[in-house]
Amino acid sequence: MNDKHTNEQTRAGFAAIIGAPNAGKSTLVNALVGEKISIVTHKIQTTRFQVRGIAMHGNAQIVLVDTPGIFEPRQRLDRSMVHAAWSGVADADVIVHVVDAPSYSKVLRRAEPSGQDNKSAQDTDRVIKGLGKRSGERPIYLALNKIDEIEKEHLLALIKTFEEAKAYSEIFMISALKGNGVSKLAAKLSDNMPIGPYLYPTEQAADIPLRLMAAEITREKLFVRLHNELPYASHVETEKWTNMKNGDLKIEQVIYVRRKSQKPIVLGKGGQTIKQIGQMARHDMRESFGKKVHLFLFVKVRESWHEDRSKYLESGLEFDV
Ligand SMILES: Nc1nc2c(ncn2[C@@H]2O[C@H](COP(=O)(O)OP(=O)(O)OP(=O)(O)O)[C@@H](O)[C@H]2O)c(=O)[nH]1
Ligand SMILES: [Mg+2]
């Protein structure tokens, strides 16, 4: 009796966040959750697998499914990432398509878009096409992101273009980074969650194993610290996780690179680079896990880690797609 009463009052469901690489999907998920649960970098293809963030909004629980960017896949890891992104859409109650508004606008206006802008616009068109096939009866919202970096007239022109396409239930203008428009979007998402009991404890912010989250934190620092020197050739694995007697955490991780020549890049002169990566990662881990962390990083060369089935499965990626 009591249960039924609760069910009528609460809402819970899934919102898939999709879009081209670098659109700001993970930034948006973090903003909606109110905590950093998904890693963010200035580089494309940061997110490699589905990460679930959990946001409470009034009496609604929104499970946000952050997905890898959708792009033209070439290699196995690419295919698995794009597959993971679309499968996030398959189970969702609502879909949010995030678009980098300044970048897309540049391409439409032919205002000297960069190669990356052009590529990103093609990826955005790929998402629009893919959504057309998969929408079903569900609402699809467009989130024009990074409005802190676009002029108003260009934004209005962009909205008009998308309105004419009639592909979206509603268009939102947001800055995931600064927070503009985020709560309005959250309200809309919560209204569209199906009525039902909560899917997670209300205080839980993420559904990702802690070992994996720790590996993601280190991968973010690796990307941030090494910029273009180590493009996607790395993978991080938490090998050992020890709860120490004094309450601290001991975390041992391996950074896999594909080539021998990449190992000294990660280590840096006199081990300086890996030391900095470790310091930054340890800082974030302390924030995320609420405990002092003793972090040990090792670098190993494994030419074919990206062809290793187990490395895919542990992060929930499918290998044979
Ligand atoms: N100016 C501005 N930058 C933003 C905004 N949202 C995200 N960014 C930046 O855009 C870059 C990419 O953000 P991410 O959240 O990693 O993008 P993503 O869509 O998750 O990227 P992938 O995981 O690679 O597909 C980062 O440098 C963010 O700081 C925004 O509202 N305004
Ligand atoms: Mg991401």
Side-chain angles (χ1 to χ4, degrees):
M1 200 56 187
N2 241 344
D3 266 3
K4 187 156 181 274
H5 183 68
T6 322
N7 287 358
E8 278 167 7
Q9 296 211 315
T10 59
R11 294 176 177 272
F14 292 87
I17 312 296
I18 62 155
N22 219 42
K25 300 176 294 297
S26 299
T27 309
L28 175 61
V29 167
N30 293 338
L32 287 164
V33 172
E35 241 179 84
K36 180 156 173 186
I37 60 119
S38 194
I39 63 171
V40 169
T41 79
H42 60 288
K43 288 175 74 78
I44 57 166
Q45 293 164 33
T46 297
T47 306
R48 282 187 180 160
F49 49 86
Q50 283 184 23
V51 178
R52 285 182 180 183
I54 303 152
M56 292 300 304
H57 198 270
N59 63 348
Q61 184 171 61
I62 312 161
V63 183
L64 298 147
V65 184
D66 186 14
T67 62
I70 284 161
F71 57 101
E72 191 184 5
R74 293 180 203 283
Q75 302 178 27
R76 184 188 291 278
L77 179 61
D78 300 349
R79 283 198 303 276
S80 289
M81 285 164 61
V82 172
H83 181 79
W86 282 123
S87 57
V89 167
D91 318 318
D93 299 294
V94 293
I95 299 162
V96 180
H97 178 196
V98 182
V99 170
D100 182 329
S103 167
Y104 199 72
S105 164
K106 262 193 212 165
V107 175
L108 286 188
R109 290 182 287 117
R110 299 197 175 87
E112 295 177 18
S114 66
Q116 187 52 51
D117 288 326
N118 281 321
K119 225 189 207 160
S120 162
Q122 282 169 15
D123 290 334
T124 297
D125 294 339
R126 186 169 284 121
V127 176
I128 295 171
K129 224 167 144 191
L131 279 177
K133 284 187 244 156
R134 294 174 174 88
S135 70
E137 297 292 298
R138 302 164 294 175
I140 307 180
Y141 301 118
L142 175 68
L144 292 173
N145 189 30
K146 310 196 186 182
I147 57 164
D148 53 294
E149 283 194 340
I150 187 172
E151 283 177 36
K152 196 142 191 205
E153 61 173 299
H154 296 152
L155 182 59
L156 293 177
L158 198 57
I159 292 171
K160 207 162 159 239
T161 310
F162 278 112
E163 271 173 356
E164 281 163 8
K166 289 194 172 41
Y168 299 98
S169 322
E170 208 169 319
I171 299 175
F172 291 83
M173 290 159 276
I174 65 165
S175 168
L177 189 66
K178 313 256 173 189
N180 312 53
V182 172
S183 57
K184 210 170 152 195
L185 177 61
K188 184 52 108 182
L189 296 181
S190 63
D191 286 349
N192 279 284
M193 291 295 108
I195 291 171
Y198 293 147
L199 302 165
Y200 292 93
T202 51
E203 66 284 355
Q204 190 172 337
D207 183 6
I208 163 173
L210 294 181
R211 282 167 163 257
L212 199 53
M213 190 174 224
E216 284 289 277
I217 290 172
T218 302
R219 193 161 64 80
E220 179 186 84
K221 303 312 172 197
L222 203 63
F223 270 42
V224 169
R225 177 63 186 74
L226 290 170
H227 305 285
N228 299 322
E229 292 169 82
L230 200 73
Y232 313 112
S234 55
H235 169 80
V236 180
E237 221 172 287
T238 304
E239 294 242 302
K240 228 170 145 191
W241 178 291
T242 318
N243 293 305
M244 295 167 70
K245 278 204 185 99
N246 66 358
D248 294 355
L249 281 177
K250 184 178 172 196
I251 298 174
E252 294 166 64
Q253 296 182 322
V254 177
I255 298 170
Y256 287 100
V257 291
R258 278 193 211 168
R259 280 181 253 295
K260 246 187 178 162
S261 61
Q262 291 163 338
K263 192 168 167 175
I265 299 176
V266 178
L267 294 174
K269 248 190 204 146
Q272 277 303 311
T273 306
I274 195 160
K275 196 171 155 195
Q276 286 166 358
I277 291 168
Q279 278 167 349
M280 293 189 286
R282 196 160 53 230
H283 172 270
D284 282 20
M285 287 177 195
R286 193 194 167 116
E287 297 253 299
S288 292
F289 306 136
K291 286 181 182 173
K292 188 167 174 193
V293 173
H294 304 267
L295 176 65
F296 297 87
L297 296 177
F298 307 91
V299 186
K300 287 188 189 167
V301 182
R302 188 170 294 169
E303 277 174 28
S304 54
W305 69 257
H306 58 294
E307 289 293 335
D308 179 347
R309 184 180 291 269
S310 69
K311 304 244 173 307
Y312 285 65
L313 299 183
E314 73 199 15
S315 39
L317 282 178
E318 281 182 45
F319 187 74
D320 302 298
V321 289

